[in-house]
Amino acid sequence: MLTVLEKANVLTEALPYIQSFAGKTIVVKFGGHAMVDPKLEEMVLKDIVLMKLVGMNPVIVHGGGPSITEWLKKVDIQAKFIDGLRVTDEATMEVAEMVLAGKINKGLVSQINLYGGKAVGLCGKDGGMILAEKKKSEQDLGLVGEVTEINTGILSILSAEGYIPVVAPVAAGKDGETLNINADYVAGALGGALKAYKLVLLTDVEGIYLDERSESLASRLNEVEIRQLIAKGVIKGGMIPKVESCLAALGSGVENIHIVDGRKPHALLLEMFTKEGIGTMVVKE
Amino acid sequence: MLTVLEKANVLTEALPYIQSFAGKTIVVKFGGHAMVDPKLEEMVLKDIVLMKLVGMNPVIVHGGGPSITEWLKKVDIQAKFIDGLRVTDEATMEVAEMVLAGKINKGLVSQINLYGGKAVGLCGKDGGMILAEKKKSEQDLGLVGEVTEINTGILSILSAEGYIPVVAPVAAGKDGETLNINADYVAGALGGALKAYKLVLLTDVEGIYLDERSESLASRLNEVEIRQLIAKGVIKGGMIPKVESCLAALGSGVENIHIVDGRKPHALLLEMFTKEGIGTMVVKE
Amino acid sequence: MLTVLEKANVLTEALPYIQSFAGKTIVVKFGGHAMVDPKLEEMVLKDIVLMKLVGMNPVIVHGGGPSITEWLKKVDIQAKFIDGLRVTDEATMEVAEMVLAGKINKGLVSQINLYGGKAVGLCGKDGGMILAEKKKSEQDLGLVGEVTEINTGILSILSAEGYIPVVAPVAAGKDGETLNINADYVAGALGGALKAYKLVLLTDVEGIYLDERSESLASRLNEVEIRQLIAKGVIKGGMIPKVESCLAALGSGVENIHIVDGRKPHALLLEMFTKEGIGTMVVKE
Amino acid sequence: MLTVLEKANVLTEALPYIQSFAGKTIVVKFGGHAMVDPKLEEMVLKDIVLMKLVGMNPVIVHGGGPSITEWLKKVDIQAKFIDGLRVTDEATMEVAEMVLAGKINKGLVSQINLYGGKAVGLCGKDGGMILAEKKKSEQDLGLVGEVTEINTGILSILSAEGYIPVVAPVAAGKDGETLNINADYVAGALGGALKAYKLVLLTDVEGIYLDERSESLASRLNEVEIRQLIAKGVIKGGMIPKVESCLAALGSGVENIHIVDGRKPHALLLEMFTKEGIGTMVVKE
Amino acid sequence: MLTVLEKANVLTEALPYIQSFAGKTIVVKFGGHAMVDPKLEEMVLKDIVLMKLVGMNPVIVHGGGPSITEWLKKVDIQAKFIDGLRVTDEATMEVAEMVLAGKINKGLVSQINLYGGKAVGLCGKDGGMILAEKKKSEQDLGLVGEVTEINTGILSILSAEGYIPVVAPVAAGKDGETLNINADYVAGALGGALKAYKLVLLTDVEGIYLDERSESLASRLNEVEIRQLIAKGVIKGGMIPKVESCLAALGSGVENIHIVDGRKPHALLLEMFTKEGIGTMVVKE
Amino acid sequence: MLTVLEKANVLTEALPYIQSFAGKTIVVKFGGHAMVDPKLEEMVLKDIVLMKLVGMNPVIVHGGGPSITEWLKKVDIQAKFIDGLRVTDEATMEVAEMVLAGKINKGLVSQINLYGGKAVGLCGKDGGMILAEKKKSEQDLGLVGEVTEINTGILSILSAEGYIPVVAPVAAGKDGETLNINADYVAGALGGALKAYKLVLLTDVEGIYLDERSESLASRLNEVEIRQLIAKGVIKGGMIPKVESCLAALGSGVENIHIVDGRKPHALLLEMFTKEGIGTMVVKE
């Protein structure tokens, strides 16, 4: 049981953050792998509702890899990955869109509404929010896209009107074809275009490690250090889109970028309202 | 080739409609069966873009029955109907939501954007737009819902900001469970709640027939006449949700309700801007 | 009788114009010689009411030469012209002002109101709209003015409030003396000052001819070509103020200038809402 | 030469009036007979410009009888009066409109502009301001109208935008025909419809006399007293429309009504800003 | 040292209060006897700055009894009290006003500004905020006033513009004479007139006791109970103005009224943002 | 007794001033020595109420030297001056603040309210209006401050909302210590920061004299001339802060600066609304 003075101290620490965050946009990437525990998912979404409640403008970008894989199995399509990116033929894309924009997106919306927020679920096609083109790569990834243009109009309107936008990482190409984009990239691009105050990647690791030892968690890394870790192969696999999206967001002027362990209770809330660092902060230099 | 005077006459006829429609909400139900021909679908969506262009506020409610049936087959679920309403267990509901809110909804959004509009795809969960509960009926229909409350906030904001809302007929119950609602009912309920100027049901029949003969198409029917035709069994099957949604919208104060044949080119445009009646108009008395 | 598809095509052609004209200012010079047929006058004024109805801001500048001549006769004053410009002594000016600002102006206002518009009749003195000085010319033209300054304040206010301004081509000099200005010049100067989207001179010829043959009607002429036609004497008499006012308006940035035959039914409407060219378009180069 | 204290006293007296008049509408009837001396006319118009300058909203209604009579002579039409009202055939009406709305109205506008104001000249047709019908009377007065409806929209807009409206007493009937209305009636009707703070009739008498002696000038008369003076024949001729317009304005809620001698220098200014009564005040009881 | 989860729990508890208080007015009476410890005074004022920071509108009413007494001594005036109310002759009033509105008020303003707030010091005369008259009582209390009218205009404006109003309990009577009012009464009257969300009386006792034993602190009392405690003499002396001001505020519709011990650190903050009750809450029934 | 024409002439002269002053800020320094006669004080304050009434924004800065001296005596503190500046130890400062911000300031507020205005009394601490530091000088003046920064926010808000701000010349230093500033300097600094239209120093002399003879009153002096008069010792003592504050205000862009004899009845009113010069005008060159 806390004493009243201990409580007062927490408040005295938190209140100035609340004021300084008022009206600020916070992009939260909520990864598919961080969604596995319903209890934690509830905590994350409730924290986001609280953030909105006290005047911030959270924008959620979600993933959904495990669920897509499961549904591809149901319709007998084999999932295939190259460098952490899903190879996507038309049949796969059709399933991916249905899972991301139909099932997961609307499920998150429904939960947020249950917890007292007002969510609106969108994908990159809605309001022409994200324009994409096929990702250039050595091996053909199929309908995997990369962002070419962001129109934040619809997000700004919804945030201003009290809604919490929830974005599925699916977009249209210039001829209307559907493209699948890595959710980390989408989060970074939206963060940059919205001139977000913070970009938080909620994932299923504690942050970035400098080597294999768990005590090597980096609390702060700059661009040069990240590029070295990639070159050395320490940063690899699914962590690559994350750090690339961080670097892109840094380049667009997002000041505060954090890779945070979504499996820790209230990781978001503590990241927002206390002085303690959590996970790895990515900075310019 | 029209003479200039013929053109002038069309314009002189149409311009006052344009003025009187400015800022008015028009709910268009775009039925799954009216979507079968891509050419016609394109025409319908382009007409809607034009309507927005000249100052109206179209709101689209779409169906998707045939496509749901097709996907249920892919995952080996048997579709089942009672009185034109899909019997919906959890597995069916999951597929239906993915098809309606993920595939068809985002597909329409993408097309409208290609034709120069700015669409935003929503389902009843978004912004808490449609609250539903399990439909009471003699036989258990499973997760089939009926509307209990409409919050038009998100629709009004999007319309005012220049977007065309596209609504999938899926909603949440009070504990967050997903419910499938007949799209005709959703269109009627939204029309009523939005105090829409017009409700147009674009379907795959010419209108309501008084008997089996094709020349018996009714151009105008009132509430009493419709109830008699239902009692006599002339109106039946999939036409029942349509006329019930018309009657509900009538009751909420929508003045102009039309059941129109979506297979006729530019049916919407002609319904809007010319004096000629198309299909069947449903009136109070 | 048109088919519905033919009607739909006219509308599909016209609707984008309506949208792109919304809020745009269109200055219409309605010449005294185009006013002779009451039927046509009614059609012109009704077309202007329609233009206002669908969101354009028409501003009418009218002439009145024949009527001034008639009234001068009644009070035994001899009308005199030099190069198409009326020589104006004080007695003539007094009659001209009464006829233009009192009789014709208020007559047009009254008619527009009858057809459902809301017109306000002004002359250049009202709201200090047009400041003028005596026109410099070799022969003394008396109280013939040329525009020195335009204040569009009153026109913008009236247009914004839903009124159709109707302007008589009479203005005050800097000592308050009344000056008569050619209506074509007034229309060109107002078009320029209002940054009008279109200037349409409704007159009693089909357009500009390249020679004496009626089949030599030019559909498009640029500044250089017009100056050549003046030099050659092909453009002469009352056509000179018209083309000079077009060139002045071009110089002030009005993009679309048309000399149109006001004797053709609905010439204005077709000019506005169809692709077909009518009369002669005057362009920069 | 005044002492500074005398000046200070005038200001201390006047300033509270200025404050209490801010934004108030003052209808000033400026009679044709009060316009004969250009010096006085200048003083009246300059006082009105000052009133506007310090925040009041003056609306001028002018007459023009003597000038109409003069122009009727020029075109050989005989002026005819019954009970102070001009009998008006079509030819007379045509001349009256040209003189009132063309010559006198625009002349006043031009002068006010010279003195630093911004005037806009209107007649009852403009903006549909005054709707009239033929005056019912025992003897046919021809195109003499009486007010049936006032739309003050255009006056309010102009006043709010800093303009001084100047109104000629000509209006349209419901079929568009032009009607001549006594200017006193117009002033009273506008005063009532505008909920004016004051109605001032500037005329060529000192006020209302109780009998033939000049010392019998009444400083204050109520409705009953006025009706008695009419019955006794003391109030007669051109004074009848004046007092009737006062009584009508009283009935519509105008609180302060004054019949003031326009031939006295700065009569308006003194009426506005000093405690001394001028002319005859007409009160309810 | 608190765990992150403990911190998260404090925040999860506090954040909804912050939201529900946004824009709400909180009147804080800061008593002269609660001001004795500079450390506590700093804490109180910093808490008020925090409250403003997160969107509340605190209004401070201060006392100053001890300081007035001290200054009266300096100028050799004897302080005199009847029933806890200062007997106030003109010389006393002059000193009291200087101490309250000059010394204490501006001192609090200066401190709040140092802690990052923007305070504005007022007394009841400013903006005509408090009109008073001499308090009726059996014994003549001299220039002791009671509130007759509150004009909250100046307080609302300052709050809306981001300022923290600090009010000294001095007001003017209707002839301009200065009157001294008990600060508790002022706080209650302002709370009522502002329709405050909360009225907090920060004083130097823990709350209201039901008898002499310190464990008899009442956590909640209604009107009837308070009247009984007064009748029994349990509530007496300086506590009487406090409870009377609470009852008056209750009567004006203030819902939440608390008598809180200002000597406890962060009493205000805990009262605002935690569930625990502090001191005595006064309720209707 | 003035004739109506004389009155009209005063008004015709004054009204244009009223218009041109609308919304303009006028800083009036009301010196302690000009406050000695209650009759004159009433006249000054009533003139200021009138100025507000007709749309100006007066801001009053007051002094209070004689009253401070009197109160210092009461508490046995010896007043001490160097170069017209009060030497201020802590005890003196405490008394000075109480007298200026408590007694005189609230007294003026109360009077202005009695005369129909709405005054709000402030000192430099309120709203962080004036930041000061200890005045640098050869001899230690103690807590005598000079202005380092002006925040006009609170003044602009109050003026815009219809209040008359009354400012006592007391401010806080950066550590919250109270500093006494010469009221002339405060008036000049506020005038400059507010971009005031006029700065009027109401004092107890007729203006600046060029030598000892009373007929040597200068009606206009520029910067160079003033510096020469200071150098020569003609301007000295209490006049030095006055002319220095004028020069500072000149430097900040205040165009109209006047040193006016506050002992003349209605000096302010005449200075505002008549052409006659009063006292000495200070100009750039």
Side-chain angles (χ1 to χ4, degrees), chain D residues 4 7 13 19 53 276, chain F residues 7 13 19 53 270 276:
Chain D
V4 289
K7 284 190 166 191
E13 182 186 338
Q19 167 67 0
L53 202 64
E276 283 133 88
Chain F
K7 285 189 166 193
E13 182 187 338
Q19 167 68 0
L53 203 65
L270 295 164
E276 285 134 84

Side-chain angles (χ1 to χ4, degrees), chain A residues 1-2 4-16 18-19 50 53-54 265-266 269-270 273-274 276, chain E residues 2 4-16 18-19 50 53-54 265-266 269-270 273-274 276:
Chain A
M1 192 59 193
L2 301 185
V4 288
L5 209 54
E6 284 171 333
K7 284 190 166 192
N9 288 338
V10 176
L11 290 171
T12 305
E13 181 186 339
L15 293 181
I18 291 173
Q19 166 68 359
L50 273 180
L53 202 66
V54 296
H266 292 302
L269 211 60
L270 295 165
F273 299 126
T274 69
E276 286 134 86
Chain E
L2 300 185
V4 289
L5 208 53
E6 283 170 332
K7 285 190 167 193
N9 288 338
V10 177
L11 291 171
T12 305
E13 181 186 338
L15 294 181
I18 291 173
Q19 167 66 0
L50 273 180
L53 201 66
V54 295
H266 291 302
L269 211 60
L270 295 164
F273 299 126
T274 68
E276 284 134 87

